[in-house]
Amino acid sequence: MDITVQDSKRWMGARLERKEDLRLVTGQGKYLADIVLPGMLHAVFVRSEYAHARITGIDVAAARALPGVVDVITGDEIRTRVKSMRQPVVLPNLPAKYPDYHALAVDKVKFHGDPVAVVIARDKYVAEDAAELVVVDYEELPVVVDAEQALAPGAPRVHDEEADNEMFAMTFTGGATADEQMRNEAEVQRIFDTAEVVVSNRFRVHRTGITPMEPRGVLCDWSLADGLTAWITTQRPHIDRLALIDILEIPGERVRVIAPRDQGGGFGVKAPFYRENVVIAYAARKLGKPVRWIETRYESLMNVGQERDQINDVEIAATKDGRLLALRNRGIANNGTGQTGVYWGFVMPFLGQVEMPNVYTWEKGDIKLRVATTNKACLTPSRAFGHFPTRFAIERSIDIVARRCGLEPADLRRRNMVPKLPYTTITGEYFDSGDFLKVWDSLLRQIDLPAFRREQVAARAHGRYLGIGFACGAELSGVASELLVPMENQPGYGAATVRVDPRGKVLIFGGDAPGGQGHETTVAQVVASIFGIDPSDTLVTTGDTGATPFGAGTIGARAGSYFVSAVHKACAELKEKITHVLAHDLGVRATTEEFAFTNGDVIYLRDPSRRKTFREIVERIIMFPVNLPEGEVGGLEATAFFEAAKPMICFNADFCIVEVRPETGEFTIKRWATSEDVGNVINQNIVDGQMHGAIVQGLSNAIFEEFIYTDEGQQLTADFEHYKLATAADVPDIELSYASTPCPHTPLGTRGIGEGRPSSVPGALCNAICDALSPFGIEVTELPLRPSTLWAQIRDAQARQH
């Protein structure tokens, strides 16, 4: 093999076992709950039992008197000593009515689970007992939990300072001005007035989301010498640090945030800036002792991981031969209280509407969104950020159009897919590169569709109902500053520091904080492919603001696009320095390209006998920096930043085959197959795992999970007895395939993958169900998809047919 490429070939794309797994499967992982500091105190929050009520008094005397209790803090104390949570660092650059609120509830509570007080004790069990002794007097207020009711005139106001409950509203098509948008609406209406085919449906997606294996937690330590050190289960430690600086008014040099090396999943849930971070940091500073809070599963299901919860009234105009003309949508999102820093709930449905057109070509569109504040917990980010509901609506609508036109849904999709990239959608979303048709055709090669249709007809003759469903989606591959600055008021660039030590080991420092995605392994493979060393010779440190360059966080599939690109860029800089010095030492004039880094050696290609080991040359530069080339100095460390000029995407397509039993509404997923464009693959095992996990999460959201609130705002699903997650027994084998196009905007041709992947799942599944039940004329327009609901629809259809 050519020595110039053999290490790149060896490590890029290799199914290397994850470096992280040894410590995790042997019980040697170190999560936040494993961190214990001397003299550490324990915190337990007192949370509201009401969804909307005035706080008329809080009696903490009995709690304070319990032996072992150190302090009880209420909202009245917090508001006089700590700034409100509405600070510029956690405010998006989007026009919304941002509520002003404190880290603990003041004057009134606004959802079931609102934090009212915190008990600090020497023992967590004492803290729990004391929390039960805190007596809060409430005056109940009218509750609104339905988004449409919340937007109606005269609805109970969640935030007293606002005139109504509309937190955010936006038109996403037609232009930036009201006049442009009105002209666009008129043009869209003319298309609908003359279209041969028009379909209109209301799509409802319930409140569900992602539930990390490890709940949230915070451990804060305060010292007069160093200030605040905070260990937080977070995806964005650098953002959390800035928020703590601003809200607690601590000088920046005295605040350090560390995301634990091991976190049991994030999936967006650990990306916002939460109130508990402020409360625990305040308590540590006040008491001068370490204070730790570990979220219970009950608290987690009460407060976070709740997303989706949208209504989308979708209309599509098309020709009778299946050409899509116009898309119109009126979206309504149930935001809950809107009290979560960085995202404020509405940012998710905002992006969902941006991504609604998906990968199809439309002549015109008219897309609007209204976001309602209600007495539910605030929406928090979850994998398939905002577009799980809109992708379901659009993919279901495409199938309905196909049936109206008498066409095969797979054919209609292909005909209307964007044929060539780059492309800008009707909402302004930019698709940078790739080949949608290549991916789609790869998917279709996995199924003999005409043969399946024959099998389907034969099965119906014997009372069996088979169906096939398709769906697809373009997802963000990282989030460029061009989008992230207006959406979240945060930068999007990737950053990495690469330090080579004298023994030939490579230390990588990244500001983003992973939650189990395999960063340590994939980054080590990238480094190995560049320097020609073994991946075991690389150590990756992430999430420590005291040791890493500023990073926007592990969000939006940034690792495979932004973080590894920054690592590559820094390694390339060091590689150039290494070869410059080596050429000088060898007495030759040579460029970096005239050296090969392979099998632990650095080889001069014009004379392969002239070489040094990687360790020898780096030790020479670091430890013996004499007789260097003019202008060079010792040391091997570089920090690099990577920013794509435009947002980048990845793409996926699915089909599934189901069998439905009309007598019960039960269904079985008989087959699930995919085709993916993830660019050049660094580690196939990790990519496969991302795809499997995302599809299972999509199925779990679509079929099993649902946060249920009563009309009084009581949350009834705060444990796993009532909030059902899919298990291995509930999901099918998943057949993965890849039809990748290297990304031209990243140095390795990689794309970030995984964040948005669940969004096409409910469309594919429900399209298959409806295809199976097409003799009954059933169209699924609401989630969750339950056998009891299907059975009722089948029964109603049978009654109409008779």
Side-chain angles (χ1 to χ4, degrees):
M1 182 181 289
D2 185 342
I3 61 174
T4 64
V5 298
Q6 68 179 41
D7 275 283
S8 176
K9 294 289 186 182
R10 180 182 178 191
W11 298 121
M12 288 299 294
R15 289 183 176 273
L16 192 68
E17 292 184 357
R18 293 191 353 146
K19 297 180 67 175
E20 300 90 335
D21 287 348
L22 177 61
R23 68 175 185 271
L24 297 179
V25 301
T26 57
Q28 298 179 69
K30 194 167 185 179
Y31 298 87
L32 189 132
D34 297 315
I35 303 172
V36 178
L37 300 181
M40 186 175 71
L41 305 176
H42 300 265
V44 170
F45 283 89
V46 178
R47 298 183 182 274
S48 170
E49 299 174 358
Y50 296 93
H52 199 197
R54 194 79 58 193
I55 299 173
T56 59
I58 302 178
D59 185 351
V60 302
R64 285 186 185 277
L66 194 67
V69 171
V70 177
D71 201 1
V72 181
I73 300 169
T74 67
D76 281 341
E77 177 179 341
I78 288 287
R79 72 170 162 184
T80 60
R81 302 184 185 183
V82 178
K83 282 185 174 181
S84 78
M85 299 292 292
R86 190 178 67 184
Q87 298 303 317
V89 69
V90 292
L91 287 178
N93 287 324
L94 291 168
K97 294 184 288 189
Y98 298 97
D100 201 9
Y101 67 103
H102 290 272
L104 292 173
V106 174
D107 295 331
K108 74 172 189 175
V109 294
K110 298 174 182 179
F111 72 98
H112 182 199
D114 211 346
V116 175
V118 65
V119 176
I120 313 294
R122 303 187 191 283
D123 180 280
K124 67 177 181 180
Y125 301 107
V126 171
E128 289 172 358
D129 290 342
E132 294 182 1
L133 298 177
V134 175
V135 178
V136 185
D137 294 323
Y138 295 103
E139 177 188 319
E140 291 189 64
L141 296 170
V143 172
V144 59
V145 294
D146 179 87
E148 290 184 294
Q149 292 177 9
L151 293 172
R157 285 177 296 154
V158 176
H159 302 300
D160 294 340
E161 65 273 19
E162 300 295 348
D164 56 45
N165 292 317
E166 185 180 85
M167 183 174 179
F168 176 78
M170 181 171 280
T171 297
F172 295 80
T173 45
T177 69
D179 287 344
E180 289 173 326
Q181 292 167 4
M182 288 180 63
R183 286 195 297 271
N184 180 69
E185 286 182 43
E187 292 171 6
V188 170
Q189 184 60 52
R190 282 193 288 272
I191 293 174
F192 274 92
D193 289 342
T194 59
E196 296 170 315
V197 176
V198 173
V199 298
S200 303
N201 288 282
R202 166 164 281 205
F203 294 93
R204 288 182 179 270
V205 174
H206 57 308
R207 179 167 281 227
T208 183
I210 304 298
T211 305
M213 185 178 296
E214 177 202 28
R216 297 176 296 145
V218 186
L219 167 59
C220 290
D221 189 23
W222 177 268
S223 76
L224 293 176
D226 299 321
L228 177 68
T229 302
W231 291 262
I232 304 175
T233 53
T234 178
Q235 298 169 226
R236 313 184 77 173
H238 285 272
I239 303 303
D240 286 5
R241 174 179 171 271
L242 293 177
L244 288 171
I245 289 169
D246 291 355
I247 294 173
L248 291 167
E249 299 180 278
I250 304 172
E253 73 277 8
R254 291 173 59 77
V255 179
R256 178 185 181 187
V257 173
I258 304 170
R261 182 185 188 186
D262 297 316
Q263 294 193 67
F267 308 111
V269 174
K270 295 175 183 175
F273 183 73
Y274 289 109
R275 304 159 82 165
E276 291 89 351
N277 301 347
V278 172
V279 175
I280 302 305
Y282 169 79
R285 182 176 64 175
K286 176 185 178 183
L287 301 173
K289 291 182 178 293
V291 180
R292 190 179 74 179
W293 167 70
I294 303 296
E295 184 179 50
T296 66
R297 184 61 64 187
Y298 177 84
E299 286 179 296
S300 178
L301 291 169
M302 287 289 291
N303 288 274
V304 298
Q306 302 185 32
E307 220 229 66
R308 325 313 186 199
D309 209 352
Q310 292 182 32
I311 298 169
N312 286 284
D313 291 315
V314 180
E315 299 174 90
I316 291 180
T319 63
K320 61 184 178 182
D321 61 353
R323 183 165 60 88
L324 301 176
L325 300 175
L327 169 64
R328 181 158 55 197
N329 184 50
R330 297 295 181 263
I332 297 174
N334 189 327
N335 200 41
T337 64
Q339 294 175 306
T340 299
V342 179
Y343 299 94
W344 302 81
F346 77 89
V347 173
M348 286 78 77
F350 159 82
L351 186 61
Q353 298 297 325
V354 170
E355 297 197 344
M356 184 162 204
N358 206 2
V359 298
Y360 306 112
T361 57
W362 307 90
E363 291 182 9
K364 286 284 183 179
D366 177 12
I367 296 175
K368 298 180 185 293
L369 171 69
R370 299 180 72 195
V371 177
T373 303
T374 68
N375 294 117
K376 290 183 177 181
C378 181
L379 294 182
T380 52
S382 288
R383 204 173 188 179
F385 187 103
H387 57 271
F388 191 90
T390 53
R391 188 65 44 82
F392 167 68
I394 199 69
E395 290 300 306
R396 281 270 43 241
S397 296
I398 296 295
D399 260 44
I400 294 171
V401 170
R403 264 192 278 284
R404 284 282 301 275
C405 296
L407 299 173
E408 177 65 64
D411 295 339
L412 186 142
R413 279 182 172 79
R414 192 187 193 285
R415 174 176 180 180
N416 289 281
M417 277 184 188
V418 173
K420 187 177 180 181
L421 301 181
Y423 181 85
T424 302
T425 73
I426 54 174
T427 58
E429 184 177 16
Y430 181 79
F431 296 158
D432 70 298
S433 63
D435 189 334
F436 297 158
L437 297 180
K438 171 184 171 182
V439 176
W440 187 254
D441 291 343
S442 172
L443 180 72
L444 267 292
R445 284 194 291 272
Q446 299 178 59
I447 179 73
D448 185 339
L449 198 50
F452 173 80
R453 291 302 182 196
R454 293 191 294 271
E455 179 187 0
Q456 183 181 46
V457 171
R460 284 176 184 166
H462 293 88
R464 295 177 57 218
Y465 291 83
L466 302 177
I468 188 168
F470 295 88
C472 60
E475 318 297 346
L476 293 175
S477 172
V479 190
S481 293
E482 179 182 289
L483 175 59
L484 202 59
V485 169
M487 190 170 75
E488 297 181 11
N489 203 17
Q490 316 291 354
Y493 53 76
T497 295
V498 177
R499 179 188 304 157
V500 183
D501 84 358
R503 297 298 177 260
K505 310 302 181 181
V506 180
L507 310 178
I508 307 295
F509 300 89
D512 299 346
Q517 298 95 323
H519 287 44
E520 294 178 34
T521 305
T522 52
V523 168
Q525 288 179 253
V526 169
V527 172
S529 72
I530 298 170
F531 287 143
I533 60 177
D534 193 276
S536 63
D537 291 329
T538 295
L539 176 67
V540 180
T541 298
T542 56
D544 183 346
T545 65
T548 62
F550 185 92
T554 301
I555 56 170
R558 283 168 42 86
S561 51
Y562 283 75
F563 182 39
V564 299
S565 295
V567 170
H568 183 280
K569 189 175 178 181
C571 287
E573 181 180 331
L574 295 179
K575 189 174 184 178
E576 187 170 334
K577 181 174 182 177
I578 291 168
T579 56
H580 187 206
V581 173
L582 182 53
H584 171 78
D585 290 352
L586 295 176
V588 299
R589 297 177 61 88
T591 65
T592 299
E593 290 70 27
E594 293 175 271
F595 289 88
F597 287 66
T598 183
N599 291 327
D601 291 327
V602 184
I603 304 170
Y604 180 46
L605 292 175
R606 292 183 181 274
D607 182 357
S609 66
R610 309 188 73 182
R611 65 176 66 192
K612 283 192 177 183
T613 67
F614 182 74
R615 173 176 169 167
E616 287 171 341
I617 185 60
V618 301
E619 185 176 30
R620 178 264 190 275
I621 296 170
I622 298 167
M623 299 300 295
F624 314 116
V626 294
N627 298 321
L628 292 172
E630 185 177 353
E632 284 287 11
V633 295
L636 284 171
E637 181 171 329
T639 296
F641 298 86
F642 173 82
E643 178 77 273
K646 289 284 187 179
M648 298 177 290
I649 62 163
C650 54
F651 177 65
N652 68 270
D654 300 84
F655 75 76
C656 73
I657 295 174
V658 302
E659 181 169 355
V660 185
R661 292 174 284 286
E663 61 274 14
T664 63
E666 294 176 297
F667 56 90
T668 301
I669 302 174
K670 301 178 73 66
R671 190 180 175 199
W672 196 287
T674 83
S675 183
E676 317 280 344
D677 180 2
V678 301
N680 288 336
V681 173
I682 299 172
N683 186 309
Q684 191 74 58
N685 285 342
I686 288 176
V687 174
D688 286 354
Q690 287 289 312
M691 298 299 100
H692 280 113
I695 292 167
V696 169
Q697 286 174 327
L699 289 170
S700 190
N701 273 198
I703 303 170
F704 299 107
E705 302 176 43
E706 181 178 16
F707 290 104
I708 297 173
Y709 285 79
T710 68
D711 290 342
E712 294 76 30
Q714 293 293 300
Q715 217 263 68
L716 303 179
T717 44
D719 57 56
F720 285 149
E721 180 181 0
H722 299 95
Y723 190 80
K724 163 73 171 153
L725 296 172
T727 67
D730 297 316
V731 297
D733 290 335
I734 298 168
E735 305 167 34
L736 299 174
S737 68
Y738 297 89
S740 293
T741 299
C743 179
H745 309 302
T746 58
L748 294 167
T750 54
R751 303 178 191 271
I753 53 95
E755 191 285 320
R757 187 60 182 83
S759 63
S760 60
V761 170
L765 175 62
C766 292
N767 286 338
I769 296 287
C770 295
D771 183 56
L773 297 177
S774 58
F776 300 98
I778 287 171
E779 299 291 359
V780 175
T781 57
E782 295 190 14
L783 295 178
L785 181 66
R786 299 278 166 77
S788 58
T789 306
L790 285 176
W791 177 79
Q793 288 183 276
I794 294 167
R795 185 186 59 181
D796 291 345
Q798 289 171 329
R800 289 193 300 270
Q801 290 173 352
H802 290 89

